Amino acid sequence: MTRARARRIDALLCRLMAGLIGAATALSCAAADFDYQLAPERIADGVYVLVGRTEDFSFDNGGNIVNTSFIVGDSGVTVIDTGSSKRYGEQLRAAIARITPLPITLVINTHHHPDHFLGNQGFATAILAATPTTTHGIETEGPAFLDNMYRLNGDWMLGTEVVVPGATLEPGRIDSGGRKLEILTFDGHTASDLVVRDIRTGTLFASDLVFNGRAPTTPHADIATWLEALDRLQQIPFSHLVPGHGAIATDTRPIEQTRRYLQWLSRTIAEGAEQGLDMTEMLEKPVPAEFAGLAVVDKEYRRSVVHLFPQAELAALRAASARKAMASPTFEHIAK
Ligand SMILES: [Zn+2]
């Protein structure tokens, strides 16, 4: 029996017990059960990553589909992203305490997607930091994300609330817990995507600008801008590359993979719109063999078509009517 199935059966037994014995027993039962089994992986001196599954949100994974990280400095710990739920944030904090007694001094939300900030409750609000755009995104879109995450992950989300970062991050070098970090700001995956480079080890935390072995998500993407960000990112030297989702790398292959997928996606959608295909025809298009091995690719492709194709259709219509106007004689031409 898989661990996920065993957990589901345990959870069902818990609910049954709740009905028979009462709410107090059910709560203690659930708390013992909902364990993400977080295991920080040390990838460089003082640098730890918790690699999530390359899946979509579900009750089976409880939303643990994201990479979170922490850097142990000389006097404090910097956390990069907080996971998908209150439980994740609390379990991340506990996992850090098992590695070091140093205090957590800074917690960064790289962007406003729910798997990167819904664990904020595990940490003090004053040390939660993000760019002003990300903070605004969490404030305005956070409640809707939270509703959706309860729907997808069920009781794993119990007690989770949106916590807006209390501090602001600007690009540049900072000293965080006795460790020099470079804060780099990009956009394209969302309106603000923050990247962190640990100067001591050269570890580059690329946030969701880079996916490795999993199809990129695009609900807030501007693909042209994202491609520019990848070009800039590829110029930055690193020892380890930590993508937002998928395995850690020591080379630029995940950047190239993300770039090729986005180029194909954008070209496919633009060409479909120019050819006058409809949404159903677009959804039925096969994913090329090069990307067929990416986790969740069928689902992400369809999701991307649903939110990107209407804009592409509009752009194709505008381009066609502009061409038509150029071809027709204007009043000015006739007058001459
Ligand atoms: Zn994201």
Side-chain angles (χ1 to χ4, degrees), residues 2 53 76 122 154 191 235 242-243 248 317 319 325:
T2 64
R53 299 198 216 170
Q235 302 305 313
V242 181
I248 299 149
L317 277 173

PDB file of all heavy atoms in Angstrom, residues 2 53 76 122 154 191 235 242-243 248 317 319 325:
ATOM      1  N   THR A   2       0.542   2.221  -0.842  1.00  0.00           N
ATOM      2  CA  THR A   2       1.356   3.438  -0.883  1.00  0.00           C
ATOM      3  C   THR A   2       1.114   4.245   0.391  1.00  0.00           C
ATOM      4  O   THR A   2       0.091   4.086   1.056  1.00  0.00           O
ATOM      5  CB  THR A   2       0.973   4.316  -2.085  1.00  0.00           C
ATOM      6  OG1 THR A   2      -0.372   4.744  -1.900  1.00  0.00           O
ATOM      7  CG2 THR A   2       1.134   3.582  -3.387  1.00  0.00           C
ATOM      8  N   ARG A  53       6.754  17.304  -4.521  1.00  0.00           N
ATOM      9  CA  ARG A  53       6.439  16.370  -5.613  1.00  0.00           C
ATOM     10  C   ARG A  53       6.104  17.138  -6.888  1.00  0.00           C
ATOM     11  O   ARG A  53       5.533  18.232  -6.819  1.00  0.00           O
ATOM     12  CB  ARG A  53       5.236  15.517  -5.228  1.00  0.00           C
ATOM     13  CG  ARG A  53       5.486  14.669  -3.992  1.00  0.00           C
ATOM     14  CD  ARG A  53       4.454  13.577  -3.977  1.00  0.00           C
ATOM     15  NE  ARG A  53       4.023  13.261  -2.621  1.00  0.00           N
ATOM     16  CZ  ARG A  53       3.000  12.473  -2.342  1.00  0.00           C
ATOM     17  NH1 ARG A  53       2.284  11.948  -3.320  1.00  0.00           N
ATOM     18  NH2 ARG A  53       2.681  12.215  -1.106  1.00  0.00           N
ATOM     19  N   GLY A  76      21.669  33.706  11.917  1.00  0.00           N
ATOM     20  CA  GLY A  76      20.230  33.514  11.712  1.00  0.00           C
ATOM     21  C   GLY A  76      19.950  32.745  10.437  1.00  0.00           C
ATOM     22  O   GLY A  76      20.861  32.458   9.653  1.00  0.00           O
ATOM     23  N   GLY A 122       3.401  29.957   9.853  1.00  0.00           N
ATOM     24  CA  GLY A 122       4.428  29.284  10.662  1.00  0.00           C
ATOM     25  C   GLY A 122       5.500  30.246  11.165  1.00  0.00           C
ATOM     26  O   GLY A 122       6.367  29.843  11.947  1.00  0.00           O
ATOM     27  N   GLY A 154      -8.192  19.691   0.755  1.00  0.00           N
ATOM     28  CA  GLY A 154      -9.038  19.253   1.865  1.00  0.00           C
ATOM     29  C   GLY A 154      -8.482  19.639   3.224  1.00  0.00           C
ATOM     30  O   GLY A 154      -7.953  20.729   3.420  1.00  0.00           O
ATOM     31  N   ALA A 191       3.640  38.907 -12.026  1.00  0.00           N
ATOM     32  CA  ALA A 191       4.037  40.314 -12.166  1.00  0.00           C
ATOM     33  C   ALA A 191       5.284  40.634 -11.350  1.00  0.00           C
ATOM     34  O   ALA A 191       5.886  41.698 -11.518  1.00  0.00           O
ATOM     35  CB  ALA A 191       2.890  41.217 -11.745  1.00  0.00           C
ATOM     36  N   GLN A 235      22.518  34.120 -17.596  1.00  0.00           N
ATOM     37  CA  GLN A 235      23.815  34.816 -17.534  1.00  0.00           C
ATOM     38  C   GLN A 235      24.413  34.804 -16.125  1.00  0.00           C
ATOM     39  O   GLN A 235      25.576  35.151 -15.944  1.00  0.00           O
ATOM     40  CB  GLN A 235      23.651  36.292 -17.962  1.00  0.00           C
ATOM     41  CG  GLN A 235      23.078  36.493 -19.357  1.00  0.00           C
ATOM     42  CD  GLN A 235      23.869  35.762 -20.420  1.00  0.00           C
ATOM     43  OE1 GLN A 235      25.089  35.839 -20.448  1.00  0.00           O
ATOM     44  NE2 GLN A 235      23.183  35.019 -21.272  1.00  0.00           N
ATOM     45  N   VAL A 242      18.166  25.993  -7.922  1.00  0.00           N
ATOM     46  CA  VAL A 242      16.982  25.441  -7.241  1.00  0.00           C
ATOM     47  C   VAL A 242      15.744  25.955  -7.974  1.00  0.00           C
ATOM     48  O   VAL A 242      15.412  27.142  -7.893  1.00  0.00           O
ATOM     49  CB  VAL A 242      16.950  25.864  -5.754  1.00  0.00           C
ATOM     50  CG1 VAL A 242      15.723  25.260  -5.054  1.00  0.00           C
ATOM     51  CG2 VAL A 242      18.230  25.464  -5.047  1.00  0.00           C
ATOM     52  N   PRO A 243      15.057  25.092  -8.729  1.00  0.00           N
ATOM     53  CA  PRO A 243      13.846  25.546  -9.432  1.00  0.00           C
ATOM     54  C   PRO A 243      12.677  25.655  -8.447  1.00  0.00           C
ATOM     55  O   PRO A 243      12.764  25.138  -7.327  1.00  0.00           O
ATOM     56  CB  PRO A 243      13.604  24.426 -10.445  1.00  0.00           C
ATOM     57  CG  PRO A 243      14.188  23.203  -9.826  1.00  0.00           C
ATOM     58  CD  PRO A 243      15.315  23.661  -8.930  1.00  0.00           C
ATOM     59  N   ILE A 248      16.727  19.663  -8.120  1.00  0.00           N
ATOM     60  CA  ILE A 248      17.827  20.644  -8.088  1.00  0.00           C
ATOM     61  C   ILE A 248      18.815  20.271  -9.194  1.00  0.00           C
ATOM     62  O   ILE A 248      19.049  19.089  -9.453  1.00  0.00           O
ATOM     63  CB  ILE A 248      18.512  20.578  -6.707  1.00  0.00           C
ATOM     64  CG1 ILE A 248      17.499  20.931  -5.613  1.00  0.00           C
ATOM     65  CG2 ILE A 248      19.728  21.493  -6.636  1.00  0.00           C
ATOM     66  CD1 ILE A 248      17.775  20.239  -4.318  1.00  0.00           C
ATOM     67  N   LEU A 317      -7.250  38.640 -34.523  1.00  0.00           N
ATOM     68  CA  LEU A 317      -8.346  39.391 -35.155  1.00  0.00           C
ATOM     69  C   LEU A 317      -7.922  40.828 -35.438  1.00  0.00           C
ATOM     70  O   LEU A 317      -8.173  41.370 -36.516  1.00  0.00           O
ATOM     71  CB  LEU A 317      -9.573  39.408 -34.230  1.00  0.00           C
ATOM     72  CG  LEU A 317     -10.472  38.177 -34.296  1.00  0.00           C
ATOM     73  CD1 LEU A 317     -11.550  38.250 -33.220  1.00  0.00           C
ATOM     74  CD2 LEU A 317     -11.128  38.095 -35.685  1.00  0.00           C
ATOM     75  N   ALA A 319      -4.865  41.952 -35.812  1.00  0.00           N
ATOM     76  CA  ALA A 319      -3.846  41.958 -36.868  1.00  0.00           C
ATOM     77  C   ALA A 319      -4.512  41.804 -38.234  1.00  0.00           C
ATOM     78  O   ALA A 319      -4.156  42.491 -39.200  1.00  0.00           O
ATOM     79  CB  ALA A 319      -2.836  40.842 -36.621  1.00  0.00           C
ATOM     80  N   ALA A 325      -7.361  46.920 -43.418  1.00  0.00           N
ATOM     81  CA  ALA A 325      -7.420  48.380 -43.521  1.00  0.00           C
ATOM     82  C   ALA A 325      -6.288  48.908 -44.394  1.00  0.00           C
ATOM     83  O   ALA A 325      -6.471  49.834 -45.201  1.00  0.00           O
ATOM     84  CB  ALA A 325      -7.345  48.995 -42.127  1.00  0.00           C
TER      85      ALA A 325
END
